[in-house]
Amino acid sequence: MMNAKQYEESLRKLDLQVYLFGRRIENVVDDPIIRPSMNAVAATYELAHRPEYEDLMTAKSHLTGKKINRFTHIHQNNDDLVKKSKMGRMLGGHTACCFQRCVGMDAMNALSIVTYDIDAKYGTKYNERFLKFLAHVQENDLTCDGAMTDPKGNRGLAPQQQSDPDLYLHVVEERQEGIVVTGAKAHQTGAVNSHEIIVMPTIAMREEDRDYAVSFAVPSDTQGITYIIGRQSCDTRKIEQGSIDRGNQIFGGHEALVIFDHVFVPWERVFMYKEYDFAGALVEKFASYHRQSYACKVGVGDVLIGASQTIAEYNGAAKASHVKDKIIEMNHLNETLYCGCIACASEGHREPSGTYCVNVLLANVHKQNVTRFPYEIARIAQDIAGGLMVTLPSEADFRSPAIGKWMEKFYQGTEGVSAEDRMRILRLIENITLGTAAVGYLTESMHGAGSPQAQRIMISRLANLTEKQKKAKILCGIKD
Amino acid sequence: MMNAKQYEESLRKLDLQVYLFGRRIENVVDDPIIRPSMNAVAATYELAHRPEYEDLMTAKSHLTGKKINRFTHIHQNNDDLVKKSKMGRMLGGHTACCFQRCVGMDAMNALSIVTYDIDAKYGTKYNERFLKFLAHVQENDLTCDGAMTDPKGNRGLAPQQQSDPDLYLHVVEERQEGIVVTGAKAHQTGAVNSHEIIVMPTIAMREEDRDYAVSFAVPSDTQGITYIIGRQSCDTRKIEQGSIDRGNQIFGGHEALVIFDHVFVPWERVFMYKEYDFAGALVEKFASYHRQSYACKVGVGDVLIGASQTIAEYNGAAKASHVKDKIIEMNHLNETLYCGCIACASEGHREPSGTYCVNVLLANVHKQNVTRFPYEIARIAQDIAGGLMVTLPSEADFRSPAIGKWMEKFYQGTEGVSAEDRMRILRLIENITLGTAAVGYLTESMHGAGSPQAQRIMISRLANLTEKQKKAKILCGIKD
Amino acid sequence: MMNAKQYEESLRKLDLQVYLFGRRIENVVDDPIIRPSMNAVAATYELAHRPEYEDLMTAKSHLTGKKINRFTHIHQNNDDLVKKSKMGRMLGGHTACCFQRCVGMDAMNALSIVTYDIDAKYGTKYNERFLKFLAHVQENDLTCDGAMTDPKGNRGLAPQQQSDPDLYLHVVEERQEGIVVTGAKAHQTGAVNSHEIIVMPTIAMREEDRDYAVSFAVPSDTQGITYIIGRQSCDTRKIEQGSIDRGNQIFGGHEALVIFDHVFVPWERVFMYKEYDFAGALVEKFASYHRQSYACKVGVGDVLIGASQTIAEYNGAAKASHVKDKIIEMNHLNETLYCGCIACASEGHREPSGTYCVNVLLANVHKQNVTRFPYEIARIAQDIAGGLMVTLPSEADFRSPAIGKWMEKFYQGTEGVSAEDRMRILRLIENITLGTAAVGYLTESMHGAGSPQAQRIMISRLANLTEKQKKAKILCGIKD
Amino acid sequence: MMNAKQYEESLRKLDLQVYLFGRRIENVVDDPIIRPSMNAVAATYELAHRPEYEDLMTAKSHLTGKKINRFTHIHQNNDDLVKKSKMGRMLGGHTACCFQRCVGMDAMNALSIVTYDIDAKYGTKYNERFLKFLAHVQENDLTCDGAMTDPKGNRGLAPQQQSDPDLYLHVVEERQEGIVVTGAKAHQTGAVNSHEIIVMPTIAMREEDRDYAVSFAVPSDTQGITYIIGRQSCDTRKIEQGSIDRGNQIFGGHEALVIFDHVFVPWERVFMYKEYDFAGALVEKFASYHRQSYACKVGVGDVLIGASQTIAEYNGAAKASHVKDKIIEMNHLNETLYCGCIACASEGHREPSGTYCVNVLLANVHKQNVTRFPYEIARIAQDIAGGLMVTLPSEADFRSPAIGKWMEKFYQGTEGVSAEDRMRILRLIENITLGTAAVGYLTESMHGAGSPQAQRIMISRLANLTEKQKKAKILCGIKD
């Protein structure tokens, strides 16, 4: 297993084509906008070496029996699934942002199931290929980007109906040694902090779409791949002097548009090729795992609750009954989310491949709550924080010889609380509810792993209404 | 293990002092108001003999190794706790009401822990006594009423401060062979369907309250015990001609005020006697188990969802997008509740006595959601049902030669749906959202196992704010 | 203007065909199930004579200039509309139930507009006929039932497509002196307390449905009309001995299925005849007025809040911060409803006929909130009330010499509060949240004047998205 | 009345001490961060000259009879109050941000009442002074900052108990020609766009606090006044190249900490001086008016709804039933807010001074909803917008020759929708839900004109529980 330093060094060796604010970034690792997101991934390496987190952060490889980072592990039982949820909460609480490494883990677990199932039907060798890739990932403790979402263009049209065929990533050429693909994947969390990109189709497909039914893995610096970093609310505070106004001093996240322009993939890295009838299953498996992964938001919620309690104390309001009740409500909502990610894991099941999969209904129910509760928790945090959170002048003003004294004087809180500490905690709440981390805590909670309606469709499919109707009819005496 | 018939016969042997509508009930088992609630308890006996439910409904006694009804079992691991939750949902779905047997199971599990802990501190023999009682319960497959809630009088005053000392049940005399107690327990679910009553104190106590710190078990027909049956919304529909208007044709529930007027308890049935410092622990343990028990409401929710889907179909509205979305929302809320009762069970832990206990924080979070979601599910059910649910004439009108034809004609639904079936399903929804079952599905969901504020206090205590604040301070750079 | 006594006497003169529990009621006015609902209508007569309510309860007829009961008035300005809302809240607070007279007022106001508009298009004389009818109503201070909702059968089919043509009320014969109609109207609030029934179509219609596009008024005891009283939750408590268990000692409501079996209507009472293109307008106008009428629920909410505060005091819990906060929330939600019924009135407008009509968008928004907030207010009321609300034994038990003493003893509240008063207030809360009044406060709030989806369709139509999009596009620089 | 150009010129003449990012701003009007907020105030001047807005934007002065900008008007009847609400919505829709001029209008209306009431009690001449000031404001069409909120330090202590006496603004010296004050006012919206600052105390006071009971007006560039501009989420996007990423191309807002360091106020500008018993009344009147002023958020909501509908169309999702339903919900919530600001205005009343004041209960209820609904509307907007809102690269990337083509290609929406237009509308939604405008639409909605708990306290005071309890007791037969 790599440590944080080794991980950072491994990234330096990559030759990525990354663009930000219209220019190519030469040194990705040290770019001040990217750096905090690299730090967050690095934490997944660092904590794996701490004894107190060993149980959560590491696992025994079912391939080699060696101790590996859990992010490269294929779940072997429900306990693994539960630990995944707990690891998510723990890391969310450690970083207060997206640590970006779940998506690769979820992609690999999904592929471990679906490659097996394809092989079972078609006699192909995808699972063998995939396991070889997996061994490479485990051995080298790699971070993988799981790339699913295509740009999609007109949402009313199937892939092959789009005016521009590249709006869904597809095979454009088949060669003896492999395939060539073109297209793009949007919203790629942590893309430039990854060693590998694992591509999957984004929707269930029909025969006409078979060129789009493709899954594979390529090194992140493969020729033809370009990254354009998306901007976040308050992103440029990371390049300002001082650090208070960033809120989170250490960690952050990033998303990128990843463009595939005639990218070559050797056959041994291809895990699905035109088996369109398995595209839906791969999407569903990945989505289910990834909906569970929103366990991390419980951890971010922990930080936001801690920050809210702290500002309440600094404001001298922590004992007001309405404030105490609001803190309780934040905790209640946050722990309700926790119940969701624990339940879908502890109710997991074994797939034919041997991989354990979460309870799909409960994973969807969990994610649906994630599209609601963080918004309410954030609203309450803003209630407790007070208006100062959005009217506070900059750190530069605070450091200014001319006017810093006024801020020092007028922003002091209760006895012994400095204006600076009050500013720091307010900036953290701002960061999570309006700033760079709000992208992850709110909007990504809404759309990541599928928008709310996607979960509702799954809930609808899995709710077993017939059984429920049967119970009702018996009780009121209706004979069918 | 008894079967339903044996259970019914065992009740006939009891000589209970039961009052209803101002008169003593001579034949409790056959009283039409009580009967449906007896049916519900009987279901816990009947289903234990069905192979498909054996795993959920039975367990292996840790005392004797024999197969016993799970309602008499002491949880030996987290899997037992999870099965308890699943048994609750299953039975809730089978009966659509309170099946009354959880409270005794929860009392026994709580006592199995606390008697052990008292003994450990004081060198007493409560645990031994309790286990003897437990063996008797398991051997005879008894139903126990767990009696906790005192009338409480002025809630601002401690037990011994009340103007009437009996407002909390207490010891009034100590004899060589045992003790004599006086007081009452309110809201006793299923009291007259029980063989034994297990009494526990209702709040944490101080030294001054030591006469109130008492726990024991007595046969339900012990001299000095009187039952007054509480009335429920629509209770008298059970004594009307016909049965459609009852909604639920088979099952129901009841609550009683249980009065203890100088009731003698032999020492071997006393499980706590003046150890006031353990009153709080017993309350908390029982409450935690019992908050988990609200798993049953998920089952009632299943029935209500099934009924809603059915009436939507009968009305010809099941395919309207807003109806489909409302059914999804009902399922979503119901499964969120399910996550709560699964998570607090799968995250259980071993107590020193060997008994497994639910995760207390999550059990409280679960119950808090139970005070909210069933109300919203009921609201949506009424939305889907349509106004006819509350304007439908009586079954007597439907059977009337003079006007029945009009109801037949004007209450027909979509093709092939008879007015009678439409009436039946509407009456079931009325039953659960306004009628006798609403008592259990709504108001008892609010107050059973403690009112909402009780859970909020527990959440507040267990939320570990200090840890959360530490995380927040590190991230924004505050040094304590 | 009649007073309450005169109103009661006027009802005695009617020869109505009323069925309840399978039998014809001979003396409707004195029937114990019906009586409380008659009392509620009578209150609309009685309060009109009290000086303190004169301003709200009476108006000056625009036909005769005489003082009339506001329930027979055609709104002449926005102030009339605002007073209507305030009258509704006041009477809701006075009766805590449906006082049944709005629907006739709303029907007459809608007809005053639409008859005028039909005449303007077709040169008919409906408005003249209608005004003659109105003069008769005002002169004799009559209560009118506004009858709109047909049974509707299969909701996916138009009136003339139904398997049974009578599922929508329609003309079956045209005679020289008038028309003959057959069909039924469901959910008729206060039907048997009315002197006249005003029939209107229930949906917008097409040419094929022209026989169904009919509106008229007939005396309530016209030959061929039969009433079947719908049953309510807890209805039979009204025929029990004692009165505490009824909750509301004085007032109630009722709904009936009204059957028209070849009922003759003379031409002078026909207000629309096959002008199918105006059916939709009549429905919309009536619905808008009637959605405003849900102002009454604010008054019922006042009573429920008052009852909740009272039981909190009786329980000794009124000063707990969480209870105070819940009372505030109840008030907040209730006053939010009040804002809706005031705003849609104060923003009213003049129709071509001279009648003032509410702001249709805001009336729909108001009613939509009425489908939500009373449920939440009721939930909070149950929270504050405590579980005793549903476990309280009957009044008969309380009066019993054998056990009444136990209830007296154990149900006492804080100092000086008798068990009886505690029972009374709890029964009132039960009445409004689960019992006969819950039919009005909850389910009727959901479906009366149109189910939630009906309002959402209207909101969708009236929201003027184009204008809002224009604003947004200008601000972000999109040029269309 | 000034027009926009004249207003801008009038600001150039001010010599304000303004700090931003640690440096003094030399040219406030043209500063790119401040400019958009100046534009928003300028709109209140510009629109007053447009015939279509004359009715809303202008009024007749009760002092001179001349046509004046409504922002300088004292409300003479309820119609004035209603027009104020409508003006707020209209301008909110025009600017999608805070236009900053309400606070001065509200301060003046509050002072018009309270100066009159102080005079009535103490025979002072404050009202006369105030009216002279008002005439000056009306004549010159000035923008006034209403300055209420002090820093407050330890919220558990009264003003004179604070460790630093300046934490509440107070009189430090009394001279023959006037008084000298020291302290600060926080969160001052639009401060540097104002000609005058009207200072008011921030809480009810006792005799010990009399030096803090002071109200006055001074020109905004009076010696001793310093402004420190608060930073907003995404503020620096205003100084970036290009303008798409700003979201709102034209308008914005700002808040400032305003420091008073020994500022001299001549007597003729002092409107309250140590009459501590009127401090509470002034706060309450101002707060009530200002809670009404949150009518503006309905206008911002209009823009957000328009933007959401637009992106739904661009995404090709506008016809999905769940999207349509979400748009309806946004409108429903927004119009519910509208009902609040209309109802509290149309239910206004005349104060002794002749000024009309809003219904205080309803104004508080309205504002309470403003602390909730915009958050939910924003959440739905993010749901409809899709994840692209937070992963979209910068305008600089879009303009880049190297990679702009990829964005053009992959961000195209449905047929005919350019990537640029899609970016523009997404950036507007980001602006309102996470960016500079979120400060106003969300956090200011929470805390402006008083935090949620402040409204709850007022609702508690004004709810008239006694009256409600009386109604309940009569109905259930309790005799007091």
Side-chain angles (χ1 to χ4, degrees), chain A residues 13 48 52 71 112 131 144-145 158 260 295 391 441-442 451 480:
Chain A
K13 292 179 196 142
E52 70 267 37
F71 281 105
S112 79
L131 292 177
C144 301
D145 173 41
F260 292 76
T391 68
Y441 188 56
L442 302 180
S451 301
D480 263 340

Side-chain angles (χ1 to χ4, degrees), chain D residues 46-62:
Chain D
E46 183 197 343
L47 271 54
H49 292 275
R50 291 208 202 151
E52 69 269 35
Y53 296 128
E54 184 181 13
D55 187 46
L56 290 188
M57 292 293 306
T58 68
K60 199 171 95 175
S61 167
H62 76 299

Side-chain angles (χ1 to χ4, degrees), chain B residues 211-268:
Chain B
D211 288 347
Y212 295 82
V214 61
S215 177
F216 58 84
V218 284
S220 55
D221 58 354
T222 300
Q223 179 154 6
I225 298 180
T226 307
Y227 303 82
I228 314 180
I229 303 290
R231 75 178 309 180
Q232 299 184 324
S233 174
C234 301
D235 44 14
T236 54
R237 290 201 191 176
K238 292 176 185 164
I239 50 177
E240 292 181 4
Q241 283 253 325
S243 71
I244 293 178
D245 292 358
R246 291 176 204 173
N248 190 325
Q249 304 298 299
I250 315 168
F251 301 113
H254 80 261
E255 294 82 25
L257 175 67
V258 183
I259 296 137
F260 292 75
D261 184 15
H262 290 84
V263 172
F264 173 74
V265 188
W267 286 118
E268 71 264 23

